[in-house]
Amino acid sequence: MFILNGALFGIWASRIPAVRDHLGLTHEALGYGLLFMAAGAVCSFPVTGRLTDRFGAVAITRVIAVLYTLSLILLALAGSFWALAAFLFVFGAFHGSMDVAMNAWGAEVEQAHDKPVMSSFHAMWSLGAGLGALSGYGAVQLGLSVLVHFLLAGGVVVALALTMSWVRWDSRRSEQSQGSVFALPTGALILVGFTALCGALGEGAVADWSAIFLRDETGAAESTAALGYAVFSVTMVAFRLAGAVVIARFGPVTTARFGGVCAAIGVFSVVSAATPELALAGFAAMGIGYAVIMPLAFSRAANDPNVPPGQAIASVATLGYGGLLIGPPLIGFLAELFGLRLAFAVLLPLAALIVVCAGALRRAD
């Protein structure tokens, strides 16, 4: 399920330049469109958190997986800015919903094994995102339209994911979740959510703008530009797979601080890059840097002693994955005002804040 969620996001991210060119959108217009995706996700978090606590993470994850795949197809059918904005809202809502449900399921498995395996699950998300981005490279090389690409890639991934994830698992259920308009973190979870926000803003920026950055700022060919997010995802997969060992050895706080430093180095490399190769190296460093931030944040939230897991994860996701989706439109707005290079530079102080706030990720007793 983590692979499916990442793959659909990567498939979309790899074809953003094609969708932008087809609709004739400016950086600013694309940024506004992506803001609808963020709004859809944020609106979905509290609802999904309550449903997950009530009906169980497994059932909710499987249902949303199908709806999320169908929403990807809608994006290829957009014929105007407003149609794209509406479809992005739906796509973002199901993307955010599945994030909450599958992370709650992952937290249950992590607690059952009593090992920090959440990072490995997020590695599968990154693997899926990388494969989705690579499918964009292949689709461009084969001359496939966006619609055909989304139908083929989305159909294959959802079929495999539903088949392989059909396992026996009894999800815990709780009636303690309390309703609210937005799932916002409280108490100790506020700083956890803010740390996740800093990392997710960088992830979102790379996902939706790396291809455009490579093509517009370094002169890369369209096929090469599609590799930006793929390179980012590959290094993220590698470090997330090693995450369980690293976290067990050095602890969540030290691991998160190391990630913040790597992310800062990567951002600086991208912003100062004059060639596609240097920019790709920077995206690779950013993948290492951001790899464990979200897994650590969700693990900390799921183990909070005062809030039910679904509600806690949803609250952190509001800031965390809200940042993943708000990052792209933020970059778009700044790019329109100052240029894309300076827009990416905003990620540098956010990476530094990860280092400062990493103490919040220490697992609660």
Side-chain angles (χ1 to χ4, degrees):
M1 285 301 183
F2 274 80
I3 288 176
L4 167 65
N5 188 279
L8 296 182
F9 191 73
I11 291 167
W12 153 245
S14 70
R15 300 309 298 270
I16 288 176
V19 173
R20 182 196 68 170
D21 293 347
H22 173 68
L23 298 178
L25 302 179
T26 63
H27 286 338
E28 184 178 18
L30 178 60
Y32 278 117
L34 295 173
L35 190 59
F36 280 85
M37 184 175 174
V42 171
C43 289
S44 75
F45 291 147
V47 176
T48 308
R50 293 195 296 273
L51 291 175
T52 298
D53 285 330
R54 181 174 181 182
F55 297 105
V58 175
I60 299 300
T61 300
R62 288 171 177 157
V63 171
I64 294 175
V66 177
L67 298 175
Y68 182 32
T69 306
L70 294 175
S71 70
L72 173 71
I73 310 303
L74 289 177
L75 298 177
L77 301 176
S80 66
F81 166 80
W82 287 110
L84 178 65
F87 295 156
L88 279 172
F89 182 91
V90 176
F91 183 71
F94 288 127
H95 172 77
S97 294
M98 190 173 178
D99 276 325
V100 171
M102 73 184 186
N103 274 286
W105 187 358
E108 291 176 5
V109 176
E110 184 177 59
Q111 291 168 9
H113 286 268
D114 196 24
K115 295 180 180 179
V117 295
M118 182 69 86
S119 177
S120 299
F121 294 137
H122 281 249
M124 295 301 99
W125 189 94
S126 299
L127 175 62
L131 292 174
L134 284 174
S135 77
Y137 173 81
V140 172
Q141 294 292 84
L142 294 173
L144 299 181
S145 68
V146 174
L147 177 59
V148 172
H149 173 208
F150 285 6
L151 283 170
L152 290 176
V156 169
V157 175
V158 73
L160 290 174
L162 288 174
T163 301
M164 296 179 68
S165 68
W166 208 264
V167 296
R168 292 183 59 85
W169 186 269
D170 294 325
S171 277
R172 61 190 171 202
R173 302 182 183 187
S174 171
E175 297 290 344
Q176 298 178 23
S177 290
Q178 298 179 357
S180 61
V181 178
F182 294 106
L184 295 175
T186 58
L189 291 178
I190 295 176
L191 202 54
V192 175
F194 181 73
T195 306
L197 170 68
C198 292
L201 279 167
E203 279 195 61
V206 175
D208 285 359
W209 288 100
S210 59
I212 293 176
F213 184 95
L214 284 164
R215 197 176 70 174
D216 293 358
E217 300 297 325
T218 70
E222 183 178 358
S223 57
T224 301
L227 293 176
Y229 190 52
V231 168
F232 174 85
S233 298
V234 166
T235 57
M236 183 171 273
V237 167
F239 197 67
R240 280 179 169 172
L241 286 174
V245 176
V246 175
I247 294 168
R249 173 66 178 83
F250 298 102
V253 177
T254 299
T255 303
R257 285 176 176 154
F258 171 77
V261 172
C262 288
I265 293 172
V267 172
F268 180 80
S269 299
V270 169
V271 172
S272 61
T275 65
E277 291 77 14
L278 290 176
L280 287 172
F283 287 130
M286 291 172 71
I288 295 173
Y290 294 130
V292 297
I293 305 304
M294 291 300 291
L296 287 173
F298 281 130
S299 290
R300 169 61 182 82
N303 287 280
D304 191 85
N306 302 314
V307 184
Q311 184 180 345
I313 290 174
S315 69
V316 169
T318 299
L319 294 183
Y321 276 109
L324 181 67
L325 299 172
I326 291 171
L330 173 64
I331 295 295
F333 302 148
L334 294 176
E336 196 71 20
L337 293 173
F338 308 111
L340 197 50
R341 284 186 186 273
L342 288 180
F344 258 85
V346 75
L347 301 177
L348 192 56
L350 293 176
L353 285 174
I354 292 175
V355 179
V356 175
C357 300
L361 301 179
R362 184 176 287 106
R363 185 165 175 169
D365 295 328

